[in-house]
Amino acid sequence: MAAVSTKCENNGEASDEYSPKNKKTKRDQENSQGENVKEGDENVLSGFKTTNVLSDSAREKVIFVHGKLDEQNAVVILEKTPIREDTLAEIFAASTLTLDMRNDIYSTYRLQAPPHLNELKATVVLPATEKHVKKYQCQESFLVEETAEDYQAITLPFIQKQSFSVQWVYNILEKKAESERIVFEDPDPKLGFVLLPDFKWDQKQVDNLYLIAIPHQRNIKSLRDLTSEHLPLLQNIFQKGKDAILEKYKLPAGKLRAYLHYQPSYYHLHVHFTNLGYEAPGCGVERAHLLADVVQNLRSDPRYYKTRTLYFPLRADDGLLGQFKEAGKL
Ligand code: DD3
């Protein structure tokens, strides 16, 4: 997905687990505003002591930093945000310019934009578990082949043993967190879902639009659990998700990529909606399954995802990869 580079690049993929311990902190409530932190708010990062850089990407202008905040392990993700067209006039009018070089008709400058147009997006995981730290560390990936039998014998027991916390998902469904960020909700317990911006999106511009649809139903772990029984749920998410995005962001269905991850980052079924023009992390063929294809496949074979061999990449340090190796499958 990323260009070949000598420097390891993290694709910004979210980690499997989000500690439920910090769900009620003041910081979380501030984050969940989804907008600029109010003026006069304390800088919770002022005491951050960097341990090491886990990974970075010059192309994506992002850095993943491991460190300590009040004796606790923390991961901080800093990211330069896209330049919005509606800020151009102010950037041109109100910036400070320093000439770097001039040659013929060409010149380059260092441009200092007004502070409010020069923000970084900061994502904080506190306390960060060993898993978070490892997840953002630069890692080699391997493509795994998972038959239906492999899923039953290797993957399912691994998921159950790990019991990845999806407390943050339940917080969203129960309106205990991020409730003001909800874009659309269908409250039906069987067919309903919540649509809201993913953490990865700063919501400043539609160019990198990234929303997730989370079903109210709690018993569907992933693509593997889906059967034709779930077609009404999937079609409901597809139709109402597209409608809500058109209404709120004026982005028509033809500009949208709706898909599921396998393996997912967290085992509560969710659908990703991203701007087609944005090469979102994890939208490559090795991990993304178009919702439209999933619907078609379940229509032609109700047990399609229960029986097919599925392929997906795993990072070298992923416990699941270890299980596949132990079983002699790699
Ligand atoms: C996560 C996968 C998980 C670090 C990070 C993200 N969208 C989330 C909590 C709330 C959210 C998400 C795990 C965790 Cl940066 C570790 O993702 C979330 N809220 N992806 C939203 N809206």
Side-chain angles (χ1 to χ4, degrees):
M1 154 192 353
V4 179
S5 160
T6 46
K7 183 129 198 173
C8 180
E9 294 193 354
N10 189 303
N11 65 5
E13 202 43 52
S15 119
D16 293 308
E17 187 187 285
Y18 191 76
S19 171
K21 286 187 206 95
N22 56 358
K23 68 170 187 271
K24 285 197 184 90
T25 62
K26 179 162 177 279
R27 182 185 51 74
D28 191 55
Q29 284 157 20
E30 285 161 5
N31 283 351
S32 65
Q33 299 300 309
E35 249 309 314
N36 298 354
V37 183
K38 300 179 294 297
E39 241 183 323
D41 271 331
E42 52 177 329
N43 172 5
V44 292
L45 289 177
S46 60
F48 185 83
K49 298 267 184 303
T50 299
T51 311
N52 61 305
V53 171
L54 297 168
S55 59
D56 67 352
S57 161
R59 190 178 68 90
E60 289 161 34
K61 303 187 174 58
V62 63
I63 188 161
F64 296 76
V65 190
H66 172 213
K68 292 258 180 206
L69 246 173
D70 329 308
E71 310 294 300
Q72 289 186 308
N73 261 313
V75 171
V76 174
I77 307 163
L78 296 178
E79 190 179 358
K80 294 214 184 192
T81 52
I83 302 164
R84 282 150 51 203
E85 191 176 336
D86 61 314
T87 64
L88 288 177
E90 200 180 346
I91 289 179
F92 292 134
S95 296
T96 314
L97 273 190
T98 312
L99 180 71
D100 258 339
M101 70 96 190
R102 206 196 299 277
N103 179 349
D104 191 45
I105 61 169
Y106 309 98
S107 50
T108 64
Y109 297 85
R110 272 167 295 148
L111 182 152
Q112 199 114 51
H116 69 282
L117 297 179
N118 200 16
E119 288 179 357
L120 298 181
K121 179 177 189 297
T123 307
V124 180
V125 183
L126 178 74
T129 64
E130 192 55 39
K131 245 189 262 170
H132 287 111
V133 174
K134 271 180 144 182
K135 199 80 187 173
Y136 292 119
Q137 221 145 25
C138 190
Q139 284 281 326
E140 236 183 313
S141 284
F142 297 89
L143 194 75
V144 175
E145 185 178 281
E146 182 199 70
T147 63
E149 294 71 37
D150 293 335
Y151 176 73
Q152 290 301 332
I154 302 168
T155 309
L156 183 56
F158 179 79
I159 298 169
Q160 285 165 339
K161 189 164 56 100
Q162 290 285 310
S163 61
F164 296 109
S165 169
V166 286
Q167 186 57 49
W168 66 270
V169 171
Y170 299 153
N171 289 347
I172 290 171
L173 295 175
E174 292 165 13
K175 318 288 157 39
K176 290 179 181 160
E178 303 189 53
S179 57
E180 68 293 334
R181 285 159 50 90
I182 294 176
V183 169
F184 175 83
E185 177 173 14
D186 176 343
D188 188 275
K190 203 150 168 60
L191 302 183
F193 65 99
V194 166
L195 180 74
L196 83 170
D198 188 277
F199 253 23
K200 290 189 273 294
W201 185 34
D202 65 4
Q203 301 177 72
K204 292 270 171 64
Q205 60 286 307
V206 87
D207 309 57
N208 59 340
L209 174 138
Y210 200 138
L211 298 161
I212 42 176
I214 305 175
H216 279 296
Q217 250 193 85
R218 298 195 178 187
N219 52 352
I220 317 167
K221 291 183 287 304
S222 76
L223 187 64
R224 270 285 187 213
D225 285 340
L226 293 176
T227 64
S228 55
E229 227 183 282
H230 302 105
L231 279 169
L233 170 69
L234 297 173
Q235 279 160 318
N236 193 47
I237 291 176
F238 206 5
Q239 194 52 54
K240 292 184 180 156
K242 289 191 284 197
D243 291 347
I245 293 170
L246 176 62
E247 157 114 8
K248 169 131 183 159
Y249 303 102
K250 311 295 170 221
L251 207 63
K255 299 275 184 193
L256 280 178
R257 183 195 288 118
Y259 55 100
L260 290 79
H261 278 156
Y262 195 73
Q263 297 287 330
S265 290
Y266 43 99
Y267 290 90
H268 177 111
L269 190 81
H270 54 285
V271 175
H272 305 254
F273 286 91
T274 58
N275 189 328
L276 187 65
Y278 166 55
E279 217 179 286
C283 78
V285 293
E286 74 277 35
R287 186 148 183 236
H289 297 253
L290 282 180
L291 180 54
D293 284 333
V294 173
V295 166
Q296 293 289 318
N297 291 336
L298 289 174
R299 275 204 192 120
S300 36
D301 177 0
R303 292 181 44 83
Y304 187 93
Y305 292 101
K306 295 249 182 231
T307 54
R308 294 282 295 196
T309 293
L310 296 174
Y311 300 81
F312 49 83
L314 287 179
R315 293 153 53 94
D317 67 358
D318 196 310
L320 185 54
L321 186 76
Q323 297 296 302
F324 271 85
K325 276 186 179 154
E326 241 173 67
K329 303 279 177 177
L330 228 116

